[in-house]
Amino acid sequence: MYFRKQELTPDIMVGIIGAGISGLTLAYRLQENNIPYLLLEENDLTGGYIKTEITNNYTLDIGPNSILADEEITNFFKAIGIENELIEANPNSKDRYIFKAGKYQVLPDSPPKLLKSNFFSFKTKISILTEFFKKTEKIENETLAHFITRRFNKEVTDYVLNPFVTGIYAGNPEKLLVKLTFPILNDLENKYGSVLKGMIKSGGSSRRKSFNFKKGMATLPKAIAEKLKNLQVNTKVEKVEYQNGQFRVSALSNGQILSYNFSQLVIATPAYAASVIMENISPEVAKALSHVEYPPMALVHTIYTKENANVQLNGFGGLNPKIENKFAAGSIWTSSVFSNRVSNDQILLTSFVGGGQYSEQYKSDDRQIKENIIQDFQKDLKIKGKPVMQKVHRWEKAIPQYDKNLQAAYSEIEKLQIKSLYFCAGWYKGVSLSDCIKNASQLAKNISTLKDIHS
Ligand SMILES: Cc1cc2nc3c(=O)[nH]c(=O)nc-3n(C[C@H](O)[C@H](O)[C@H](O)COP(=O)(O)OP(=O)(O)OC[C@H]3O[C@@H](n4cnc5c(N)ncnc54)[C@H](O)[C@@H]3O)c2cc1C
């Protein structure tokens, strides 16, 4: 696929490198505001990490499996015309299960429920209650594990924080920084003297809904790409130079070297690709970006017939705290969450092997990974019989880690004096799809406002 529909005026337009959800959203928002842009994508398909495999028998998401949406995001779905494609998570799937004391237990979803349940020891319940009165501290570059152990205790870190961080970042809470992941925790402690008091006083956060689409997550990038007038796929940016206020971009497209001049440039690629692009502009930024970690992760889809499996799974999925030494980081019970993923007489589970805490397990070969997952399903979920289909998809570089290396990259970026160069991607200030959409929309607003000032 190669298309470029509009004649563009060079030199006054915004170049965007990378058509994942961030670059696509940015291009769409600029187009809405009549700002000339050109979006360049290396692959023949857009969407980056968002990928769906569809056959007659199943719909498998092999990147992100859902998107959390509030009003801003659902309005975006309407704007790009996919509101009728949405599937909301089944209300029966709201419970999250955590593996503890040899079985999956429901994680209570509010502090009062948590205090009433048997999920935590008495000692931990007291520790949670006394968080209101603990002295506040300001610790530079504090990790999530340190923060939660300091404010609550180690059991909360091990059994709530650890699996929660696995679910979002596939990361290690001993390394991820509070200020980059959940700065709200620092804000609540500083403003109210206690995280819990702050949550109560500020009314907590409104719960967002989890969505997928009838034809899988790839519906989202496809719908945006179809609306764009200036998207060029199969075009890999190889070199960028900055001279006299212009970005000179060289790209390889179907064997041809193409050159462009842009007055503003947005890098919307993963950090490892941004590092190569930045080499001639700032070797310091390029080096810092090359150190951003993306631990590998395998997604494993397992399909059983309901008759064989002989089990009723009602919940979003089961997460495995690292301390429990399980093989996989956890699994989403996909067919309980979203309908139409497999036929009505089947169930689908999506497991995660690897990430920041399970790198050894990732090294197993596909056959071992499949076997270990089946064994754990038999033991822990009482699933009987053999699967009718099982597939391993490996991401050699999966989710960027919001740790001290990323902090160092941000510091180098802040030192850059070039005002017309922007970053907009999952490694830059928000990893989730909804963060990417919101950050790209905000950047488009900023660029549009600047244009108004200059015109
Ligand atoms: C396995 C997995 C599961 C996830 N699950 C969820 C989930 O359930 N929910 C959720 O909200 N988030 C999830 N995420 C996170 C989310 O998918 C990503 O953060 C998000 O998709 C990143 O989008 P992006 O546009 O920033 O970058 P990318 O998706 O990386 O897109 C960047 C694009 O740039 C292109 N590119 C790179 N280099 C060049 C170049 N030199 N020239 C031209 N083009 C280039 C790439 O081909 C790519 O298309 C998951 C991520 C992974 C890996």
Side-chain angles (χ1 to χ4, degrees):
M1 194 168 54
Y2 176 89
F3 55 97
R4 182 168 163 187
K5 296 178 186 161
Q6 248 185 11
E7 266 316 300
L8 295 161
T9 332
D11 303 340
I12 51 144
M13 66 176 163
V14 182
I16 308 168
I17 308 174
I21 188 64
S22 304
L24 286 167
T25 306
L26 176 70
Y28 175 76
R29 293 299 198 194
L30 290 176
Q31 187 169 291
E32 272 186 332
N33 289 328
N34 295 320
I35 306 281
Y37 69 89
L38 177 61
L39 172 57
L40 303 173
E41 165 57 42
E42 169 179 3
N43 289 318
D44 57 350
L45 275 183
T46 60
Y49 282 101
I50 309 177
K51 284 193 161 60
T52 306
E53 190 179 302
I54 303 185
T55 70
N56 286 342
N57 303 319
Y58 52 72
T59 301
L60 305 182
D61 283 306
I62 51 189
N65 272 255
S66 59
I67 176 166
L68 272 179
D70 58 11
E71 202 184 343
E72 181 180 342
I73 299 294
T74 41
N75 284 341
F76 182 66
F77 294 153
K78 278 184 205 147
I80 57 171
I82 53 172
E83 72 271 35
N84 294 332
E85 295 300 309
L86 282 171
I87 320 180
E88 195 179 329
N90 181 342
N92 288 342
S93 71
K94 75 174 188 11
D95 287 335
R96 263 82 173 155
Y97 287 77
I98 304 288
F99 196 82
K100 189 167 194 274
K103 60 174 194 269
Y104 281 109
Q105 305 190 30
V106 176
L107 176 69
D109 61 3
S110 68
K113 282 192 202 160
L114 208 145
L115 293 173
K116 268 196 235 153
S117 83
N118 292 325
F119 187 82
F120 279 129
S121 63
F122 180 69
K123 203 169 130 212
T124 293
K125 288 181 184 175
I126 296 295
S127 200
I128 291 172
L129 283 174
T130 51
E131 194 272 335
F132 284 92
F133 314 107
K134 282 192 182 141
K135 74 175 172 43
T136 61
E137 283 180 67
K138 278 197 176 142
I139 299 173
E140 189 63 21
N141 290 333
E142 189 171 24
T143 65
L144 278 170
H146 193 274
F147 181 95
I148 295 295
T149 308
R150 176 168 70 76
R151 295 301 310 172
F152 300 94
N153 75 357
K154 189 158 178 318
E155 196 183 2
V156 179
T157 295
D158 287 342
Y159 284 97
V160 180
L161 174 70
N162 188 290
F164 187 64
V165 163
T166 297
I168 301 175
Y169 293 94
N172 183 346
E174 307 278 349
K175 290 189 179 170
L176 304 192
L177 301 183
V178 181
K179 70 174 172 192
L180 298 187
T181 50
F182 301 102
I184 180 88
L185 294 174
N186 283 141
D187 295 347
L188 293 175
E189 181 183 21
N190 294 339
K191 189 164 172 202
Y192 299 97
S194 147
V195 174
L196 290 180
K197 195 197 284 179
M199 281 166 74
I200 294 166
K201 289 225 165 171
S202 59
S205 59
S206 62
R207 202 164 170 164
R208 294 168 297 166
K209 289 182 178 164
S210 198
F211 290 98
N212 200 314
F213 303 91
K214 289 175 193 161
K215 291 188 180 153
M217 293 301 297
T219 305
L220 180 57
K222 189 165 171 273
I224 310 173
E226 280 169 4
K227 294 228 164 332
L228 296 182
K229 298 198 172 97
N230 298 307
L231 161 67
Q232 194 162 303
V233 293
N234 285 323
T235 304
K236 179 178 185 184
V237 170
E238 305 222 298
K239 192 164 122 193
V240 179
E241 286 162 309
Y242 183 65
Q243 276 167 4
N244 307 326
Q246 291 279 307
F247 295 94
R248 192 164 180 73
V249 171
S250 311
L252 190 63
S253 183
N254 300 315
Q256 251 190 307
I257 306 275
L258 304 176
S259 300
Y260 308 91
N261 280 343
F262 297 114
S263 54
Q264 304 192 57
L265 187 71
V266 182
I267 299 181
T269 67
Y272 47 88
S275 162
V276 179
I277 292 167
M278 285 299 293
E279 262 163 21
N280 291 304
I281 301 179
S282 163
E284 295 77 20
V285 171
K287 189 168 173 213
L289 286 173
S290 73
H291 292 147
V292 176
E293 281 194 45
Y294 282 72
M297 187 159 71
L299 255 76
V300 187
H301 292 101
T302 310
I303 302 177
Y304 294 89
T305 62
K306 280 185 181 161
E307 194 183 356
N308 268 355
N310 195 18
V311 75
Q312 185 74 35
L313 296 175
N314 279 328
F316 201 88
L319 286 168
N320 302 331
K322 184 66 186 110
I323 198 167
E324 293 283 341
N325 274 325
K326 307 294 294 179
F327 180 75
S331 54
I332 300 176
W333 304 339
T334 312
S335 51
S336 310
V337 186
F338 297 115
S339 51
N340 296 336
R341 308 291 93 181
V342 282
S343 61
N344 277 339
D345 60 349
Q346 294 179 325
I347 61 169
L348 165 66
L349 299 96
T350 309
S351 309
F352 300 86
V353 177
Q357 299 187 100
Y358 295 81
S359 50
E360 277 310 305
Q361 288 83 339
Y362 180 82
K363 289 178 191 156
S364 315
D365 64 28
D366 285 7
R367 189 191 49 81
Q368 265 173 317
I369 287 186
K370 288 178 183 174
E371 261 176 34
N372 288 345
I373 292 217
I374 294 173
Q375 276 173 19
D376 280 355
F377 285 162
Q378 282 171 350
K379 250 190 312 181
D380 305 330
L381 294 174
K382 313 292 173 228
I383 292 182
K384 302 196 177 59
K386 290 247 175 289
V388 288
M389 204 282 302
Q390 202 174 25
K391 247 187 163 182
V392 178
H393 180 91
R394 289 181 187 260
W395 290 101
E396 289 302 328
K397 291 176 186 288
I399 299 182
Q401 298 299 291
Y402 276 53
D403 59 12
K404 64 177 177 18
N405 290 346
L406 188 59
Q407 176 60 48
Y410 287 180
S411 304
E412 287 302 331
I413 286 171
E414 271 161 31
K415 289 184 209 156
L416 270 177
Q417 294 293 313
I418 310 170
K419 296 280 176 247
S420 46
L421 174 66
Y422 308 92
F423 297 91
C424 180
W427 57 270
Y428 196 64
K429 309 194 174 177
V431 78
S432 72
L433 295 172
S434 37
D435 286 338
C436 292
I437 292 172
K438 287 181 183 185
N439 288 341
S441 301
Q442 184 57 49
L443 178 57
K445 252 188 218 161
N446 298 349
I447 292 175
S448 309
T449 314
L450 277 177
K451 180 211 150 208
D452 290 344
I453 293 169
H454 292 155
S455 56

